[in-house]
Amino acid sequence: MQHDATVPTPPDLFTWEFATDPYPAYAWLREHSPVHRTELPSGVEAWLVTRYADARQALADQRLSKNPAHHSEAAHGKGKVGIPGERGANLMTHLLNIDPPDHTRLRRLVAKAFTPRRVAEFAPRVQELTDRLIDGFAGRGEADLIHEFAFPLPIYAICDLLGVPAEDQDDFRDWAGNMLRHPGGRPPGPGGGQAGGPRGGVARSVKKMRAYLADLIHRKRADLGDDLISGLIRASDHGEHLTESEAAAMAFILLFAGFETTVNLIGNGTYALLRDPGQRHRLQQALAAGDTALLATGVEELLRYDGPVELATWRFATEPVTIGGQRIAAGDPVLVVLAAADRDPERFADPDALDLSRRDNQHLGYGHGIHYCLGAPLARLEGQTALATLLTRLPDLRLAAEPTDLRWRGGLIMRGLRTLPVEFTPEGAECEN
C-alpha cells in the first residue's frame, strides 16, 4: 500500500533524544494523534492520551482499571507492566493496582494513618534533614544535587515517617538507589549501554525491601509507636484492619511512590529555575522578603512545567471505551501522558513558559480522581522546603554542565535527571580575609 504523503509522520518516541526533551513530540501528538497507539520499549502496545480534557476524563474513568489482571495480553505483558518484582514479592495489593471497592477500603484505612496533621507535624524534621544535607556540601562550592540532596532527602524523610530505625535507613537508601538507577523501560542509551538497566536487579531490591517491611511490621505489632507503620497497624474501619500483607504493600508503595516523585520534583524544579534566571530571581526576592506565596504557587508551576511523573501509572480498559473520539478495545493498556496534558494550550496560557505566579493551575501532576496521589502534601512540603533552603543558603547556585550534556534516567513512568552538577560560592567564603 502506498504511503499517503499528506499524513504527517509521527515523531520517534522513547529514544534518548526524546527523553531529553519530550515536549515537542507531545505537542505533535496533541495536534495530530491525541489518543495514540504505540509500541513501548518493552514490546507492550498501549494507548497514549495527551490532551488535558481527555487525560482528566481518563484518570477518573472507572472503566479504566488499575488491576493488571484486565490486561488482554497477560502472557505477553507479564513482568512488563507495573513495578518490577512486585508480583514475585507479594506486593500487588496496594493503591496503584486495585479498584473499588477494595481501593475504597484500603485508601480509607491508609488515610486514617497518613493524615494532613501528621505531615504538618513533620515539617521541622524535613527542614532539619534539608539543612543537614546542604551542610554536607555547602562549604565545597560544588555538588551533584541529585545524589547529594534530591535523592537522600525524601528517602530519609519517608523512612523517618514510616518508623524505620535510623540504623536500618542506609539499607533502604541502597535498595532505593538500585531501583532509581535501573527502572527499565527505555532502549539502550548512547554508546550501547542499557538505559534502564536490568529489571532483575530492581526485583531483588524489591524482595529485600518486602522481607524487611514484613519483619518491621511484625516487630511493631508488639510495640506500637507514633509512626506511619504503627498508624497503618492501628487503622480500622468498621472493625476491618489492614492485613499484614496489605500493610507491607502499602508501606512499600508509600516509600516507592513517595521517594522518586520527590527526587524528580526537587531535581527537575531546581534545573528549571537554574535555566530561567528571571523566575529564579523573583522567587529569591520573595523568600528574602519573607513572602512564601510565590514559593507555594511556584512549586505547583514546576509540577506542571516539567513534573516528576511523565506518564500516569498503567490503566486497562475493562470494556470498549471511547476517549477523544478514539475507540479503545477491552483489555488494552492506557497510559495518560501527564507531561503532555500539562502543556496543553487549550487549558494553559503560554504553556511552554515557566510562570511561578500562575494562578489557574489545575495541573495533573499528582493525578485526578480516586487515585489522586495520597502523598502529595508530603511531596509539596519537601519540595518547598528543599527549594527555599537551597536558594536562600546558596544564592548564586549555577549549573556546572551544559544542558545538552545532562542525561535523563531511563524509565517509562517517571521523569528525572541522572545527575545535576552545580557550582556556588562556598558558605562562609565571603567572610574570609
Side-chain angles (χ1 to χ4, degrees):
M1 185 174 69
Q2 190 172 8
H3 177 67
D4 184 350
T6 64
V7 178
T9 302
D12 290 330
L13 304 177
F14 309 118
T15 65
W16 278 89
E17 293 76 17
F18 168 85
T20 299
D21 183 9
Y23 296 103
Y26 288 148
W28 189 98
L29 290 177
R30 279 196 309 267
E31 182 177 354
H32 299 287
S33 185
V35 181
H36 182 76
R37 189 172 176 89
T38 190
E39 182 177 318
L40 305 175
S42 64
V44 174
E45 290 195 353
W47 293 96
L48 303 180
V49 179
T50 57
R51 288 181 179 167
Y52 182 92
D54 297 336
R56 192 174 168 91
Q57 173 204 329
L59 290 171
D61 193 328
Q62 294 197 30
R63 295 171 298 174
L64 299 179
S65 169
K66 299 291 290 175
N67 189 340
H70 290 290
H71 190 191
S72 60
E73 301 180 58
H76 183 210
K78 186 179 180 183
K80 296 182 180 180
V81 300
I83 300 168
E86 63 179 353
R87 187 182 302 274
N90 190 26
L91 287 169
M92 294 292 288
T93 52
H94 57 69
L95 293 176
L96 295 185
N97 283 341
I98 56 175
D99 305 314
D102 290 334
H103 177 273
T104 308
R105 179 183 70 87
L106 281 183
R107 184 161 180 128
R108 194 162 52 223
L109 285 169
V110 174
K112 288 176 179 288
F114 199 27
T115 62
R117 180 187 64 81
R118 187 184 292 274
V119 172
E121 290 175 348
F122 196 56
R125 178 58 176 157
V126 172
Q127 184 66 63
E128 180 186 339
L129 287 169
T130 300
D131 280 316
R132 190 182 79 193
L133 289 168
I134 295 176
D135 287 345
F137 57 77
R140 222 172 52 222
E142 61 178 13
D144 175 359
L145 285 185
I146 300 299
H147 293 286
E148 297 182 75
F149 185 60
F151 169 63
L153 174 59
I155 278 291
Y156 290 137
I158 196 68
C159 280
D160 278 359
L161 200 62
L162 286 170
V164 176
E167 62 269 21
D168 296 340
Q169 291 187 8
D170 282 339
D171 287 337
F172 265 80
R173 179 173 174 163
D174 290 344
W175 297 330
N178 190 49
M179 294 159 74
L180 201 66
R181 285 190 298 273
H182 304 298
R186 296 259 192 226
Q194 276 301 116
R199 288 174 68 95
V202 179
R204 283 191 293 274
S205 290
V206 169
K207 284 186 177 180
K208 289 177 181 177
M209 201 176 285
R210 168 69 171 87
Y212 177 85
L213 287 171
D215 179 65
L216 183 62
I217 289 166
H218 181 71
R219 284 185 278 138
K220 284 190 179 293
R221 281 192 188 279
D223 185 20
L224 293 174
D226 185 27
D227 53 72
L228 189 51
I229 287 182
S230 296
L232 290 174
I233 294 168
R234 285 193 188 96
S236 65
D237 187 59
H238 298 96
E240 283 193 281
H241 291 73
L242 291 170
T243 67
E244 198 149 306
S245 179
E246 288 171 342
M250 287 309 311
F252 166 74
I253 203 60
L254 287 171
L255 190 144
F256 184 86
F259 94 87
E260 189 173 359
T261 53
T262 310
V263 175
N264 295 347
L265 168 57
I266 297 169
N268 298 5
T270 304
Y271 178 60
L273 290 172
L274 292 179
R275 297 195 70 193
D276 193 326
Q279 291 294 309
R280 169 211 171 152
H281 183 62
R282 285 181 66 199
L283 181 54
Q284 286 178 306
Q285 283 189 313
L287 292 170
D291 178 6
T292 59
L294 191 64
L295 176 64
T297 59
V299 165
E300 298 310 303
E301 173 69 345
L302 293 168
L303 285 162
R304 182 202 69 82
Y305 178 76
D306 198 8
V309 184
E310 190 169 341
L311 284 75
T313 50
W314 295 81
R315 284 165 167 78
F316 306 91
T318 58
E319 59 184 79
V321 59
T322 299
I323 301 175
Q326 176 66 58
R327 186 179 184 278
I328 295 171
D332 279 2
V334 176
L335 291 166
V336 177
V337 188
L338 306 179
D342 280 343
R343 295 247 191 145
D344 187 343
E346 293 295 314
R347 177 60 184 81
F348 299 99
D350 201 5
D352 294 321
L354 181 67
D355 177 6
L356 298 184
S357 58
R358 190 183 295 268
R359 294 293 173 185
D360 182 19
N361 193 2
Q362 295 184 34
H363 62 79
L364 300 176
Y366 285 127
H368 172 65
I370 64 170
H371 290 285
Y372 183 83
C373 178
L374 191 67
L378 177 61
R380 287 185 168 104
L381 168 65
E382 292 175 354
Q384 290 182 21
T385 305
L387 291 171
T389 310
L390 266 181
L391 294 177
T392 301
R393 289 187 57 177
L394 308 175
D396 66 344
L397 193 70
R398 57 195 178 273
L399 276 174
E402 291 297 322
T404 52
D405 292 334
L406 297 178
R407 293 288 175 263
W408 296 79
R409 284 194 304 278
L412 188 65
I413 302 298
M414 301 291 187
R415 173 166 173 78
L417 286 162
R418 292 165 70 173
T419 61
L420 183 55
V422 295
E423 297 173 336
F424 48 86
T425 300
E427 269 191 348
E430 64 278 5
C431 300
E432 294 177 4
N433 293 323

